[in-house]
Amino acid sequence: MLRKISWLIRAGAYVLVGTGIFGWSSFGPVALPVTVTAFALTGLLMCAWAVLDLRGREDAGWRPSPALPYLLGAIAVLAGGASGVPDATSLVALAALAVLDAGSEASLLAGWAVAGAGALAIEIGALIAGAGTGVVLGSPLILLVALLSGRNRRAYRVQAEQAAAMLAQVEQLRAEQRQVAVLDERTRIAREIHDVLAHSLGALGIQIQAARALLTDHGDIERAAGLLGVAQRIASDGLTETRRAVHALRADTAPLDEELAKMAAEHRQRHSTDVQFTVEGDPVPLPPEQTLALVRTAQESLTNTAKHAPHQPVTLLLSYQDDDVTLTIGNPLTDSPAGPAFHTVDGGYGLTGMRERLLLLGGALAAGAESGRWAVTARVPR
């Protein structure tokens, strides 16, 4: 739309120049055909200029035609040369329009070439027609001003295009960041579901195995029913925690020391095992990601302890230090020569999953046997 308005202005300028020249001026027998010819040819060239300028401009990859500088140069030469004729000085305005567009649309060299050709034509025309000093000095100056204005317009346009390109890149980057955030969220939820199921199904399997042993080996229906009731509560709690993971309700997570104390009490009640929970240092609030990572580590470790070292005392030590928070879960090794296998329902990736979770948070995980005890130590930064 702006380009069409620009061409309406140029057409108006062409009509005004022609009206001013031929409406109130009188030419000699030589000057008249020269002026008419130059004016008519300039009009035809401007029509060709309009076609080149408007055709295909809506396309995204549009670029000015390579023939445009030559066309603008021809307009500048014709209009500039004829402006030396007495009473036709206003033709320099048409030459200035061509130089202005050359400075804006063409390269720097092409712009100067068009302006130079127009100025040279003005000087030659003025010399032939015997024009005054005003035409000889003033008309080339007009072309120079037009060229500088065109270059300034080009600079503003380039800046606008660069700003638009940067804005598009920013929007693309934001879109990519949103996509990455979605993928991270999906991964996080998948990890949550894995950890909840690994803990719940592992504990559930232990209870069912114990109930089966009571029924087949001892025929103790009452105690087996109690264990099956505990298994039912574990399954119900697992479903609840799975829903929380799906809906990402981390805001409901209690402080870390409270979560671990509750977990130690539940483990003590379910497995009739001595569990000691100790806190060193002053408890401080942790981000939800750090809190949940340590909670899941404790869940996985307690499940492994109940599975591979049943009825062995368990210790949980939560240490708040200046730079990080450390959780250590330990228990005596069983009489098995290989020690605890510590595999879970996922086929043995429990420790690997915990380690990956902590690494994403800048933490670390260590697990191994030392001095007759198996210990899992998880650390997260504060």
Side-chain angles (χ1 to χ4, degrees), residues 33-109:
V34 171
T35 306
V36 170
T37 302
F39 183 77
L41 290 177
T42 299
L44 292 175
L45 291 174
M46 290 184 68
C47 291
W49 174 18
V51 171
L52 288 178
D53 191 43
L54 295 177
R55 184 179 58 187
R57 183 172 281 273
E58 292 78 9
D59 298 339
W62 182 89
R63 290 292 183 271
S65 172
L68 183 61
Y70 300 99
L71 189 59
L72 295 176
I75 294 173
V77 169
L78 277 173
S83 67
V85 176
D87 297 327
T89 308
S90 56
L91 280 173
V92 74
L94 302 181
L97 289 176
V99 172
L100 176 65
D101 200 74
S104 176
E105 300 293 342
S107 64
L108 178 61
L109 180 60

Side-chain angles (χ1 to χ4, degrees), residues 40 45 49 51 96 102 119 132 150 160 191 199 209 217 238 300 321 337 350 369:
L45 291 174
W49 174 18
V51 171
R191 188 184 299 115
H199 169 69
Q209 183 178 3
D217 298 341
E300 180 78 15
Q321 301 170 2

Side-chain angles (χ1 to χ4, degrees), residues 129-141:
T133 306
V135 175
V136 173
L137 298 180
S139 294
L141 182 60

Side-chain angles (χ1 to χ4, degrees), residues 72-298:
L72 295 176
I75 294 173
V77 169
L78 277 173
S83 67
V85 176
D87 297 327
T89 308
S90 56
L91 280 173
V92 74
L94 302 181
L97 289 176
V99 172
L100 176 65
D101 200 74
S104 176
E105 300 293 342
S107 64
L108 178 61
L109 180 60
W112 278 105
V114 172
L120 181 61
I122 289 173
E123 298 300 330
I124 295 175
L127 180 63
I128 295 174
T133 306
V135 175
V136 173
L137 298 180
S139 294
L141 182 60
I142 292 174
L143 297 188
L144 178 61
V145 172
L147 176 64
L148 296 178
S149 300
R151 298 308 299 179
N152 287 335
R153 188 172 72 173
R154 178 186 179 89
Y156 287 131
R157 188 181 70 251
V158 170
Q159 289 178 357
E161 291 174 353
Q162 291 176 347
M166 292 181 63
L167 181 60
Q169 292 178 355
V170 170
E171 291 299 328
Q172 182 180 2
L173 179 60
R174 289 177 178 174
E176 292 176 353
Q177 288 175 341
R178 287 192 293 268
Q179 182 67 20
V180 170
V182 170
L183 295 177
D184 288 343
E185 184 68 6
R186 291 177 179 176
T187 303
R188 182 188 66 82
I189 293 175
R191 188 184 299 115
E192 293 302 317
I193 294 175
H194 162 269
D195 290 343
V196 170
L197 292 179
H199 169 69
S200 301
L201 295 179
L204 188 62
I206 293 172
Q207 297 296 321
I208 294 175
Q209 183 178 3
R212 180 181 179 182
L214 287 174
L215 289 174
T216 57
D217 298 341
H218 304 284
D220 194 340
I221 299 177
E222 182 178 356
R223 290 181 61 188
L227 290 177
L228 290 176
V230 173
Q232 183 179 4
R233 289 195 298 272
I234 292 174
S236 177
D237 293 342
L239 289 175
T240 301
E241 289 193 28
T242 302
R243 294 190 187 99
R244 289 181 58 188
V246 171
H247 294 288
L249 297 179
R250 284 186 173 179
D252 295 339
T253 302
L256 178 60
D257 54 337
E258 297 181 11
E259 285 282 347
L260 294 179
K262 178 181 176 181
M263 192 180 305
E266 291 178 351
H267 187 83
R268 185 183 302 113
Q269 180 181 3
R270 290 175 180 174
H271 302 285
S272 300
T273 301
D274 181 23
V275 182
Q276 294 183 357
F277 174 57
T278 307
V279 179
E280 292 183 352
D282 297 328
V284 295
L286 291 178
E289 292 79 5
Q290 274 88 333
T291 299
L292 199 57
L294 293 180
V295 167
R296 297 304 186 212
T297 301

